[in-house]
Amino acid sequence: MATLLLLPGDGIGPEVCAEVRRVAAVLTPDLTVKEKIYGGVSYDAHGTPLTDDTLNAALGADAVLMGAVGGPQWADAPRDKRPEAGLLALRKAMNVYANLRPAYCFEALADASSLKSELVSGLDLIFVRELVGGVYFGQPRGIEDLGDGQKRGFDTQTYTTAEIERAGRVAFELARGRRNKVHSAEKSNVMESGLLWKQVITDLHKREYADVELEHILADNCAMQLVRAPKQFDVIVTDNLFGDILSDAAAMLTGSLGMLPSAALGDPGKPGLYEPIHGSAPDIAGKGLANPLAAILSFEMALRWSLNRTAEADRLTAAVNAALNGGARTRDLGGALTTAQMGDAVLAAL
Ligand code: IPM
Ligand code: MG
């Protein structure tokens, strides 16, 4: 039977993952749900944010669902042992190169956005963020001493043809099942890696995806367009760093960072890594205030993209919609429900 590995991690991670567990028990009782230690709590217990045992369990699962990693208490941990380093190592080891980050506006929440509701009502876009390359992993990197009281910090942005192509392919395939439009965002006006990005996407499009509408957009203009007229977008493919930044901006359009899931996918047949986009929110951790919907919707993506359970995924989407339409709101959405009460609302709708 299929296995879902939960990595609750730090901060609000355990609280929101507990709600995923409850939903899974009702929706997919035959699914084996396992759990492993990960993140800052793993560093405290084992001296590393990602133990071999946890990594092997992840590589052997059908899907991995992460809660959150990080918190101020690990700010002084050695750089390669910080919770975030564990996350990057996990993404790299699982080779989940295509990070799908949807930003859609639940109708009941159109008024919760910082933008006017007519700009976001009906919004449905998705990022394909390249996740295992670029400046996040490029070598060389470091901080060197220049000897005169000065230092020099440097990172390397690098992309190969193959890395760009596999991310591009995911975006074009995705667009075919949606509104058939891809924006490719880079800085080809300034960066060599951006120029190559644009050339490779152009060639791939001409060769294999000429039926899909393609538009190149400079990443800074993309940021501007996202807050000016976000509904013009369908699929946006971009590199690791631009994808990190642009997807946070897009997430906020939908009302709350507490609503948005993500899926990181590698080659077909390999386990996907599912994460709510929100962080560990240390300020509210352990208080039962966190919105579990991003985690629950990440489970929905796991059902759809890794576990082949489309019918259950559809049921879960409908249940979340029903809960919201029924007025269920955690604090981030202007309401007063606790984490578990929001879970109750989804379970009731199921
Ligand atoms: C994200 C996060 C991570 C990233 C951090 C926690 C390393 O911001 O998933 O967007 O930068 O990729
Ligand atoms: Mg981010």
Side-chain angles (χ1 to χ4, degrees):
M1 206 49 272
T3 303
L4 172 73
L5 178 69
L6 287 180
L7 303 177
D10 306 319
I12 60 172
E15 296 157 66
V16 297
C17 282
E19 298 311 307
V20 170
R21 231 181 216 290
R22 294 172 68 210
V23 167
V26 170
L27 186 63
T28 48
D30 55 322
L31 184 69
T32 306
V33 181
K34 292 188 179 156
E35 204 170 297
K36 290 283 181 188
I37 191 166
Y38 170 68
V41 289
S42 172
Y43 173 73
D44 289 344
H46 303 292
T48 173
L50 180 64
T51 63
D52 288 344
D53 179 52
T54 295
L55 177 58
N56 287 331
L59 295 173
D62 295 283
V64 181
L65 197 154
M66 197 198 96
V69 286
Q73 62 270 56
W74 298 290
D76 296 327
R79 235 183 132 60
D80 61 329
K81 300 288 183 212
R82 282 175 321 136
E84 291 81 358
L87 173 58
L88 298 188
L90 182 64
R91 288 173 177 170
K92 192 74 172 176
M94 292 180 73
N95 193 30
V96 284
Y97 52 81
N99 187 202
L100 276 42
R101 297 194 158 191
Y104 44 79
C105 185
F106 286 87
E107 239 10 79
L109 299 181
D111 288 326
S113 173
S114 50
L115 292 194
K116 296 189 190 82
S117 67
E118 67 262 28
L119 287 181
V120 295
S121 161
L123 175 74
D124 178 12
L125 64 82
I126 186 162
F127 282 91
V128 177
R129 167 188 176 192
E130 196 293 323
L131 200 62
V132 296
V135 74
Y136 272 61
F137 295 94
Q139 295 291 344
R141 58 194 289 145
I143 299 178
E144 70 183 9
D145 215 322
L146 296 177
D148 50 358
Q150 293 287 306
K151 290 181 180 175
R152 177 175 164 268
F154 56 99
D155 296 275
T156 303
Q157 163 81 339
T158 135
Y159 273 108
T160 63
T161 308
E163 287 174 324
I164 300 166
E165 259 185 18
R166 64 186 183 179
R169 217 171 244 119
V170 171
F172 286 124
E173 294 286 342
L174 202 55
R176 278 182 176 160
R178 295 172 45 99
R179 301 193 302 282
N180 213 38
K181 171 142 200 185
V182 170
H183 281 81
S184 171
E186 28 63 10
K187 282 287 285 178
S188 57
N189 55 345
V190 178
M191 299 165 72
E192 300 306 310
S193 55
L195 184 59
L196 182 69
W197 184 282
K198 184 174 182 182
Q199 288 167 351
V200 170
I201 295 288
T202 302
D203 290 349
L204 176 66
H205 176 250
K206 202 177 291 171
R207 241 179 21 243
E208 296 176 36
Y209 296 99
D211 56 300
V212 180
E213 197 186 333
L214 169 67
E215 218 173 289
H216 301 282
I217 185 166
L218 295 174
D220 52 346
N221 183 27
C222 186
M224 193 258 278
Q225 296 298 337
L226 274 173
V227 290
R228 192 188 72 89
K231 282 192 267 185
Q232 69 186 288
F233 295 108
D234 179 17
V235 178
I236 303 174
V237 62
T238 190
D239 77 15
N240 204 342
L241 182 61
F242 293 142
D244 178 44
I245 298 166
L246 294 173
S247 66
D248 258 37
M252 204 49 224
L253 301 176
T254 68
S256 169
L257 215 48
M259 289 298 301
L260 290 184
S262 80
L265 307 176
D267 287 330
K270 300 283 184 197
L273 174 61
Y274 298 83
E275 315 170 21
I277 290 193
H278 61 66
S280 57
D283 52 322
I284 58 165
K287 298 184 181 158
L289 296 174
N291 183 348
L293 290 181
I296 289 172
L297 290 166
S298 295
F299 177 52
E300 185 268 351
M301 291 190 91
L303 291 170
R304 212 176 279 287
W305 294 95
S306 287
L307 301 170
N308 237 326
R309 307 287 285 265
T310 316
E312 286 87 346
D314 289 343
R315 279 183 63 201
L316 186 50
T317 308
V320 169
N321 254 310
L324 290 170
N325 290 337
R329 299 282 187 279
T330 38
R331 211 181 54 154
D332 54 306
L333 302 173
L337 291 193
T338 64
T339 309
Q341 285 168 337
M342 185 59 112
D344 291 341
V346 173
L347 285 173
L350 268 182

